[in-house]
Amino acid sequence: MNCRTTSKGQGIRDPLRSHSNKLGYVTYPIDEGLAVVYSELSDSNFTGIGISVGAGMTNVTVAYMATPIVSFSIARGGDWIDEQVATATGMAKERITSIKETDFALGSEYEIGSVQGAIAVYYDALLTYVLQHLKRKLSETAPPDAEFQVAIAGGSTRARGFMEMFEKRLKETNLPIRISSVKKNRIVSPSGTDSRDPIYAIARGCLIAALSKEASLAPRPSPPPNPTSQNSQLKSQSQSESLTRAEPD
């Protein structure tokens, strides 16, 4: 799954970009995982693992200095959890979603067979599946010898206790790279209106990527003239003219 960054100037090559074309912009698709890296890992020089857990998909990118090393998507997210719990309990999916968002916390003790207990089981299953897939992908590459910070975003990460469960499963997975830390989600407003809320990380990352791209495409100003060089050139020219005038006819 891709989000798109925009930069002004060049032409558009597919119908999805027609609106940007009318505005004079060109779009550059980037993975959601990389957008998380741009959004959250500037203090690590854009080196780390960006994970976006959305409703329909989970997107993961391992980047080194903003360059993707591993990138993949899995068709499982918050909706998958709701569907699995609905199937297991016989309850309507909409009701499951409501309970998950208002009356649930990972790490809490729930009765066996309860809806909350089933939600916790499938959250755990999702995280384990994503991390094992990441481990396999990394084993197929030769990542640089560096420390990687992890940043997580997306609406499905807002469940209470999510980060604690993620860190536990991450440690158990034993990835073949060095993990420096896991960047904590910052949720200031329960209504999700704070710009630093992880639900907005993708949009924020696309903006940062677009600004970076635009800066890289901007023409560089010419260096100012060197006064010393100019004076030497004028002096040489003056001497040449004097010699020319001094020659006999």
Side-chain angles (χ1 to χ4, degrees):
M1 184 174 183
N2 293 329
C3 61
R4 294 182 182 273
T5 67
T6 61
S7 183
K8 206 162 188 177
Q10 302 173 17
I12 306 299
R13 291 177 294 178
D14 66 61
L16 293 177
R17 305 179 184 182
S18 59
H19 183 64
S20 294
N21 188 26
K22 293 175 182 178
L23 297 176
Y25 290 88
V26 59
T27 62
Y28 296 88
I30 67 172
D31 294 328
E32 283 194 16
L34 184 57
V36 176
V37 171
Y38 270 108
S39 172
E40 306 298 323
L41 299 182
S42 60
D43 55 348
S44 299
N45 204 20
F46 303 113
T47 295
I49 303 174
I51 302 176
S52 167
V53 188
M57 301 188 74
T58 298
N59 302 276
V60 181
T61 296
V62 182
Y64 180 70
M65 299 181 69
T67 300
I69 301 168
V70 167
S71 189
F72 63 88
S73 299
I74 292 175
R76 294 185 185 184
D79 288 347
W80 178 82
I81 293 173
D82 298 345
E83 291 164 1
Q84 299 305 308
V85 175
T87 300
T89 62
M91 189 175 291
K93 179 175 175 286
E94 293 74 18
R95 177 60 179 157
I96 301 297
T97 303
S98 176
I99 293 173
K100 185 182 71 176
E101 295 177 352
T102 60
D103 187 26
F104 172 72
L106 288 164
S108 299
E109 293 186 3
Y110 296 109
E111 293 183 4
I112 297 176
S114 66
V115 171
Q116 289 90 339
I119 294 173
V121 167
Y122 284 105
Y123 253 113
D124 197 350
L126 174 62
L127 291 180
T128 300
Y129 183 81
V130 170
L131 289 171
Q132 288 296 331
H133 195 73
L134 174 58
K135 184 176 182 178
R136 286 196 300 271
K137 288 287 187 180
L138 285 170
S139 67
E140 298 169 358
T141 65
D145 183 18
E147 287 192 335
F148 292 82
Q149 191 177 25
V150 182
I152 307 177
S156 296
T157 69
R158 303 179 82 244
R160 286 175 295 168
F162 179 92
M163 294 302 295
E164 290 75 11
M165 174 177 278
F166 177 83
E167 288 181 299
K168 183 178 180 181
R169 295 294 174 258
L170 176 64
K171 185 176 181 180
E172 293 171 351
T173 305
N174 192 25
L175 296 176
I177 56 175
R178 287 183 287 130
I179 303 296
S180 61
S181 63
V182 177
K183 193 161 188 177
K184 306 292 185 182
N185 284 340
R186 177 184 175 186
I187 304 176
V188 178
S189 170
S191 63
T193 56
D194 187 87
S195 63
R196 298 300 302 180
D197 190 294
I199 201 170
Y200 300 119
I202 307 303
R204 188 167 56 249
C206 284
L207 173 61
I208 294 170
L211 293 173
S212 300
K213 187 70 175 179
E214 192 168 54
S216 71
L217 296 175
R220 296 184 178 181
S222 302
N226 188 332
T228 303
S229 176
Q230 278 190 326
N231 291 337
S232 298
Q233 192 174 20
L234 289 172
K235 185 177 180 181
S236 175
Q237 184 178 358
S238 176
Q239 290 175 345
S240 176
E241 290 175 351
S242 297
L243 289 172
T244 301
R245 287 197 298 270
E247 291 178 355
D249 293 337

